[in-house]
Amino acid sequence: MTTATSPAPLLAEQLAADPKLADARRLIHEALDARRAQLTGVKPADPARKQGYEQTLQQFSAQRGGNLWYPYLGSGFGSGPLVELADGSVKYDMIAGIGVHFFGHSHPAFVDAALDAAVSDTLMQGALQQNTDSAQLTDAIISLANASGAKLNHCYLTTSGAMANENSFKMAFQKASRDGNPADRMLAFQGTFCGRTLALSSMSDKPNNRVGLPHALKVDYIPFYDEAEPEGSTQRAVDRLKEYLTRWPKHYAGFKMELVLGEGGFYAGTREFFLKLIEVCKEHGVAVIADEIQTFSRTSRPFAFQHFGLDEHVDLVNVGKATQVCFTLFTDDYQPQPGLIAQTFTGASSSIKAAQFVIDTFANGDLYGENGRVMQLTGRIRDRIQKIAADHPDRVCGPYGLGAMIAFQPFDGTIDDAKAVCTDLYEHGVVAFLCGRSKARVRFLPSVPAVSDDQADEACDILEASLERVANRR
Ligand SMILES: Cc1ncc(COP(=O)(O)O)c(C=O)c1O
């Protein structure tokens, strides 16, 4: 729409342009930069903080109804991959809140997002409270998703990966019902993780996560790709899929695919593997749902479906973690009827503004492509793990995964070995985490743009020393 005269500035625009805000922002960044400059490396805990820290941890654990996995209480400050804990220690955060802090800790752009949000009228946006920044973000996400041929013309924001998955499943079921199919089942890969709502606990292939829960969603599992047996494993998966589709014709609303299994152990599929399965799904009207909650940002392209060249085939795509706001992308065919999807909260104003920075940086920066920073930095970490594995084959198998999803199997792959390595790493200044099922692995989800080559090397030095210490204790 064109207007003859430009409109008078809104009060919000006047506030944003107020020089007092620019002054305040400058002062905040000066204070922040001064502290960031002091956070230069790993540091042990301060003994003077030990007692108070432990008391807080104990009380918090009791009040929240269970221990934290690590005795980790952040101070609220960090710099890139380094994070300061409330006990005074400083560590390399190589797991980034399980993939959340892709840009590292205390990133200036995220501080700006919080400052912009601080002078915005609402802390949270949602159902009846959507500001223009939600509209701008939605548009940017759709452009990024459709950059190489996908037709994901719609995007619904939400506050968790679980809700993004739930929303996509509801749209898939509703589409199946519109098509006259009695759909009441879903498909997923063995080892999948989906989130922790009642329905998703039924679907995640983790029995411990659903102890005592009713079975809320019917799910059938397809074996994942096995790189040791590419053709055989692909054929097995396709055969299993066809078997289910014959047993329950028209009963499947969608196949939820993690293109790199996350919690399941950082196993990557291939384009050919996915295409063979997708072909069968399309023949049977089964929605192809890519769960990119962990993979987004971590391959050679922002979306893993783009990395694998599946742009034309994905019907629904779910994203979370690195974006700060979660969302479901979907094609025209999957548009929900009114009433199916709504939330009081679709995102915090600060998260929405931070997500805009994330999406813009992914669209315009040098992170992606075969020689982008994601593949470059993670290639360096992989090479180093490979060298440790070559020097000490009894201590490490791997590396596994794809791009910035890096895992290795310590020792024989028992859960105790993997926990011992995680604990030793943590005590010596690197935060990593477990993944995998039959063989336990240790994973890194590095904050790619924030990690220098030297910092990556130092974290790997700590890993090598940790493996040696654990080997000596076994
Ligand atoms: C692949 C995948 N799907 C879904 C989820 C659930 O996301 P959230 O914990 O934000 O609900 C996760 C979280 O780890 C995930 O890795």
Side-chain angles (χ1 to χ4, degrees):
M1 196 176 70
T2 51
T3 47
T5 53
S6 29
L10 298 169
L11 288 170
E13 291 162 351
Q14 292 177 36
L15 178 60
D18 191 318
K20 291 193 189 94
L21 291 195
D23 282 350
R25 191 185 300 270
R26 187 181 41 75
L27 290 173
I28 287 170
H29 279 290
E30 271 176 28
L32 192 71
D33 289 349
R35 301 317 176 299
R36 276 165 64 95
Q38 292 173 43
L39 207 69
T40 52
V42 166
K43 233 172 75 177
D46 176 352
R49 293 184 177 272
K50 190 172 165 30
Q51 200 185 353
Y53 189 81
E54 279 173 5
Q55 268 167 6
T56 308
L57 258 178
Q58 268 169 21
Q59 181 181 319
F60 185 39
S61 299
Q63 289 176 338
R64 72 191 283 280
N67 287 340
L68 299 166
W69 206 89
Y70 283 122
Y72 176 119
L73 288 175
S75 71
F77 188 74
S79 179
L82 291 165
V83 60
E84 180 188 67
L85 301 196
D87 63 2
S89 68
V90 176
K91 301 185 193 298
Y92 277 115
D93 183 2
M94 295 300 277
I95 196 63
I98 319 192
V100 176
H101 318 300
F102 183 75
F103 284 85
H105 291 265
S106 299
H107 192 286
F110 282 28
V111 172
D112 277 338
L115 293 175
D116 290 337
V119 290
S120 162
D121 65 329
T122 55
L123 282 178
M124 300 294 286
Q125 300 185 31
L128 297 187
Q129 298 282 320
Q130 299 284 3
N131 288 353
T132 50
D133 45 10
S134 285
Q136 191 191 341
L137 173 63
T138 299
D139 184 52
I141 293 169
I142 291 171
S143 298
L144 188 72
N146 290 343
S148 42
K151 297 187 180 58
L152 299 159
N153 294 332
H154 312 274
C155 172
Y156 191 87
L157 305 180
T158 187
T159 44
S160 72
M163 273 315 298
N165 271 338
E166 284 267 344
N167 286 341
S168 73
F169 296 175
K170 289 205 274 182
M171 290 183 219
F173 276 114
Q174 193 172 71
K175 155 86 163 56
S177 127
R178 266 203 302 273
D179 293 347
N181 297 335
D184 58 355
R185 309 183 82 84
M186 291 290 289
L187 292 149
F189 287 123
Q190 284 173 4
T192 193
F193 180 75
C194 312
R196 285 192 165 82
T197 64
L198 195 53
L200 297 177
S201 299
S202 281
M203 190 176 205
S204 292
D205 197 9
K206 286 190 142 189
N208 286 349
N209 292 10
R210 52 172 171 264
V211 173
L213 301 186
H215 197 51
L217 187 63
K218 294 171 190 154
V219 185
D220 294 301
Y221 296 97
I222 305 296
F224 199 69
Y225 178 76
D226 179 355
E227 65 181 6
E229 221 193 323
E231 281 176 21
S233 61
T234 303
Q235 196 54 49
R236 267 197 301 281
V238 170
D239 289 348
R240 186 74 62 85
L241 178 59
K242 287 183 175 167
E243 194 182 309
Y244 284 132
L245 290 166
T246 307
R247 186 174 296 149
W248 296 103
K250 297 186 186 299
H251 276 263
Y252 291 98
F255 188 156
K256 192 216 81 143
M257 300 185 179
E258 275 171 82
L259 304 177
V260 184
L261 282 184
E263 307 303 295
F266 283 20
Y267 294 86
T270 64
R271 175 176 158 74
E272 293 66 35
F273 173 73
F274 295 124
L275 281 179
K276 287 252 163 64
L277 294 170
I278 287 171
E279 194 186 327
V280 182
C281 288
K282 297 284 171 182
E283 276 166 23
H284 290 80
V286 174
V288 174
I289 306 173
D291 177 347
E292 296 238 17
I293 290 156
Q294 198 157 157
T295 50
F296 181 76
S297 78
R298 299 197 167 271
T299 65
S300 72
R301 299 281 309 277
F303 290 87
F305 77 75
Q306 296 172 329
H307 171 94
F308 288 109
L310 305 175
D311 305 65
E312 289 164 33
H313 308 291
V314 284
D315 296 308
L316 300 119
V317 176
N318 303 321
V319 171
K321 294 187 183 277
T323 36
Q324 312 302 306
V325 170
C326 305
F327 50 87
T328 297
L329 284 150
F330 51 102
T331 61
D332 295 345
D333 287 346
Y334 288 85
Q335 283 206 60
Q337 284 166 222
L340 190 75
I341 309 284
Q343 282 172 229
T344 303
F345 292 151
T346 48
S349 297
S350 53
S351 305
I352 288 161
K353 289 171 189 299
Q356 187 73 46
F357 166 80
V358 172
I359 300 295
D360 290 347
T361 308
F362 288 3
N364 304 316
D366 58 0
L367 283 167
Y368 296 102
E370 280 311 320
N371 299 316
R373 184 65 182 154
V374 170
M375 297 314 268
Q376 217 182 54
L377 175 83
T378 58
R380 188 179 182 96
I381 299 173
R382 277 170 201 286
D383 286 350
R384 181 65 188 278
I385 294 176
Q386 201 155 23
K387 180 159 187 322
I388 303 174
D391 292 346
H392 303 284
D394 53 325
R395 293 180 193 166
V396 177
C397 294
Y400 305 110
L402 174 68
M405 298 173 77
I406 306 170
F408 59 90
Q409 177 194 305
F411 304 98
D412 305 325
T414 67
I415 187 72
D416 287 345
D417 282 335
K419 279 184 179 168
V421 171
C422 281
T423 304
D424 189 275
L425 277 171
Y426 184 85
E427 281 164 6
H428 292 86
V430 169
V431 193
F433 197 42
L434 308 171
C435 61
R437 294 197 311 160
S438 53
K439 292 284 185 187
R441 294 177 170 181
V442 174
R443 65 179 144 160
F444 288 162
L445 288 165
S447 307
V448 173
V451 183
S452 69
D453 286 352
D454 287 349
Q455 288 174 320
D457 293 349
E458 198 186 336
C460 289
D461 290 344
I462 297 173
L463 169 62
E464 189 162 3
S466 257
L467 289 163
E468 181 161 4
R469 272 189 300 273
V470 176
N472 292 337
R473 283 201 296 267
R474 284 172 95 230

